[in-house]
Amino acid sequence: MRTALRFTIICLACALLSHVPLTGIAAQQRDDQPRLTKIVALTRHGVRSPTQSAATLSQWSTRTWPQWPVPRGHLTPRGARLVTAMWEDMRGRMLNLSLLPDAACPPPGKIFVRADVDQRTRATAKALVDGLCPDGSLSYAVSGQTPDPLFHPVQAGVQRFDPASVAASIIDNAGGDLDRLHEDSTSILTHMQHLSTPLGADMCTRYNLPPSCGLADLPNSVSVEADGSGAGLSGALATASGMAEIFLLEYAQWPDISAGWGQVDARVLREVLPVHTSVFNAVNRAPVVAQLKGASLLSEMMAALEGTHRDQRCNAASLVVFVGRDTNIANVGALLGVNWQMAGYPDNATPPGSTLQFELWEQGGRKEVRVRLFAQTPEALHAPFEEQRLPAGGMVATPQLTDPARTHKATEAQVTAPPVVGEARFSLEDFAKRVSRAIKNAPLAPQEVPPLRLRVDIEADSATATTLKTEPTTATTITR
């Protein structure tokens, strides 16, 4: 009797299952698995030449500075190649996660890239889309306004720095006392002084010091520009910070030699980079500075993530990338209260090509935002490229990868959002509230629908040598 009953139940179950479409089962299984549906990224430009004038550099050190292959502040050809290699690798990750279709190039509208107006950001955008689409069919958008208010709201006049509040915020973020930050950096400043000695004669005179003064002797101060368009530090910390970053850029640009007049290898670079990161973040992660400079970008990144942006291309794309500067990433990171750690760099470093990403995941009707940061390690930036040989006859059936060995791959940082323990993961609702609190009462740049670059302009972006604004020869690191 029991055997017959079990047989009847099994038959009924089989009959029921036979009427459930397989597609329905597959769909139910897909709904139960986390699915990446969108990424909104903020990316720093790649390796560039120093932005400081020759006059400024000659005051920082009278030693002979390297000759760069591009004008001041421009992306280098190697910098572009590094960006392309990194985004080839990022594309592989997105293919594995089914965010992008498994095709040589994504269909129109699947990817949207917007770049700041500078040569180094436009050229980075070109290198980035080349990594995502090797046939060169992808374009990117650039604002017709200079400066672009989205990336530079203070400089564009959307915001203005109040000197007193900005200075107080920077000093507080530096630990409450620039002298203390100087003391904490004493060993690095001494090391940098040995690497770069001697200073230019006018440097000591400017600070009313004896002609034999050294880098570590320079007094530190906060400076806010008279028109409220920029703020930063000046003195020993600012000078050492600027030189340390240049050493990283040199290390990435020339893989066959050490940076810093042949003295800065991987070990020395790790020792001196903390002074750059600490000074840079003291300014750009200061709460007042971060909100005034970063609120517009964070607001538009959130709008793109939720699909409410005025620019419908941001809403429709599965991957949206804003190409800006390290200051933009620091501002947005500070506003969100997220921090990151990556091997080879100090905490919250923003190396060339680094990208801060908001990933939107869905599972069973629930939506979650995961904040990630990717960058190339110092070793990856320094590694040479293997020159590829064409097959016999010189014909290539498919586009060649820039970095088939993945020597210059992207590495994921550990991102946290204290007091949340573990990874920086939020429900979409909680993340939206976090963003809303961060940008509360901040005037925002009007959302824009910038035009796509024409192919002739895109090709020119990699080679155009524009004249940059002449800067004063003071030892000042300014954030605008």
Side-chain angles (χ1 to χ4, degrees):
M1 180 68 181
R2 291 179 179 176
T3 301
L5 180 60
R6 283 197 299 268
F7 179 76
T8 301
I9 292 173
I10 291 172
C11 289
L12 288 172
C14 291
L16 289 171
L17 288 174
S18 66
H19 289 82
V20 177
L22 292 178
T23 54
I25 297 176
Q28 183 177 2
Q29 290 174 341
R30 286 195 299 269
D31 287 342
D32 291 339
Q33 296 297 319
R35 182 169 61 93
L36 178 61
T37 61
K38 187 155 190 165
I39 292 178
V40 178
L42 174 58
T43 296
R44 182 189 177 184
H45 57 75
V47 175
R48 56 157 173 77
S49 58
T51 55
Q52 295 81 7
S53 66
T56 294
L57 295 178
S58 68
Q59 292 305 307
W60 288 4
S61 174
T62 58
R63 305 186 70 171
T64 302
W65 290 84
Q67 293 294 315
W68 287 75
V70 293
R72 178 159 60 103
H74 279 215
L75 187 77
T76 69
R78 176 174 166 86
R81 196 173 184 185
L82 285 166
V83 169
T84 298
M86 176 170 164
W87 281 88
E88 283 177 351
D89 186 65
M90 295 294 295
R91 176 176 177 269
R93 177 177 180 271
M94 294 173 196
L95 289 175
N96 291 336
L97 292 171
S98 300
L99 181 72
L100 298 179
D102 188 7
C105 283
K110 196 71 173 177
I111 295 173
F112 177 69
V113 178
R114 176 174 174 180
D116 193 6
V117 299
D118 298 320
Q119 185 275 347
R120 58 182 175 271
T121 46
R122 300 193 318 268
T124 295
K126 179 184 183 302
L128 186 155
V129 298
D130 285 347
L132 292 169
C133 179
D135 72 4
S137 61
L138 279 181
S139 184
Y140 50 90
V142 178
S143 173
Q145 303 181 67
T146 303
D148 186 341
L150 175 62
F151 296 94
H152 308 281
V154 175
Q155 194 176 359
V158 176
Q159 304 269 18
R160 274 286 182 252
F161 283 161
D162 173 69
S165 61
V166 167
S169 184
I170 291 173
I171 291 175
D172 183 64
N173 198 45
D177 188 347
L178 294 183
D179 289 338
R180 181 180 303 173
L181 181 57
H182 187 111
E183 291 173 6
D184 292 342
S185 306
T186 297
S187 61
I188 300 179
L189 292 174
T190 301
H191 197 172
M192 294 289 289
Q193 182 170 307
H194 290 319
L195 292 171
S196 61
T197 296
L199 290 172
D202 291 344
M203 197 71 153
C204 297
T205 302
R206 184 177 300 114
Y207 290 96
N208 296 317
L209 295 172
S212 59
C213 80
L215 171 64
D217 299 323
L218 304 180
N220 303 288
S221 62
V222 177
S223 57
V224 181
E225 294 187 0
D227 62 357
S229 63
L233 301 185
S234 61
L237 290 169
T239 304
S241 171
M243 282 198 291
E245 184 184 34
I246 290 175
F247 292 162
L248 174 61
L249 295 170
E250 291 178 6
Y251 190 75
Q253 174 63 25
W254 290 290
D256 51 341
I257 59 174
S258 294
W261 303 285
Q263 305 168 96
V264 180
D265 56 14
R267 177 186 61 81
V268 176
L269 190 63
R270 284 193 297 271
E271 293 173 356
V272 301
L273 274 181
V275 73
H276 169 63
T277 305
S278 62
V279 171
F280 176 82
N281 286 329
V283 176
N284 292 289
R285 291 181 72 99
V288 173
V289 174
Q291 189 187 55
L292 292 176
K293 292 184 58 185
S296 292
L297 252 177
L298 179 56
S299 174
E300 295 208 16
M301 291 178 71
M302 189 66 207
L305 195 69
E306 292 184 304
T308 60
H309 200 286
R310 178 189 171 197
D311 191 337
Q312 293 302 317
R313 296 168 299 182
C314 288
N315 302 331
S318 297
L319 172 63
V320 178
V321 185
F322 295 94
V323 184
R325 302 183 180 185
D326 49 358
T327 51
N328 299 132
I329 295 177
N331 299 153
V332 169
L335 281 176
L336 284 174
V338 297
N339 302 291
W340 48 85
Q341 296 175 313
M342 178 178 292
Y345 294 109
D347 292 354
N348 292 330
T350 50
S354 54
T355 175
L356 180 67
Q357 302 187 351
F358 303 161
E359 296 181 349
L360 184 61
W361 290 77
E362 294 186 13
Q363 182 179 12
R366 299 185 303 274
K367 295 184 178 182
E368 179 183 82
V369 179
R370 303 178 186 179
V371 182
R372 303 190 189 278
L373 185 129
F374 296 88
Q376 290 158 313
T377 64
E379 293 75 18
L381 288 173
H382 189 62
F385 282 95
E386 294 183 8
E387 296 305 324
Q388 303 174 48
R389 297 180 179 179
L390 293 176
M395 299 299 294
V396 180
T398 58
Q400 296 291 292
L401 293 175
T402 298
D403 186 30
R406 300 183 67 233
T407 307
H408 308 85
K409 67 180 181 180
T411 298
E412 184 175 359
Q414 180 183 1
V415 182
T416 57
V420 177
V421 177
E423 296 180 2
R425 297 168 63 164
F426 314 85
S427 70
L428 178 60
E429 181 181 2
D430 287 345
F431 189 73
K433 291 178 180 177
R434 196 179 188 97
V435 171
S436 180
R437 288 193 300 268
I439 65 176
K440 185 178 180 180
N441 298 325
L444 303 177
Q447 291 188 2
E448 186 183 358
V449 184
L452 289 175
R453 298 286 280 175
L454 300 175
R455 174 54 51 183
V456 63
D457 297 322
I458 290 175
E459 295 301 332
D461 282 346
S462 295
T464 300
T466 57
T467 302
L468 303 184
K469 183 179 72 173
T470 302
E471 64 171 23
T473 58
T474 55
T476 305
T477 177
I478 293 291
T479 178
R480 294 185 175 92

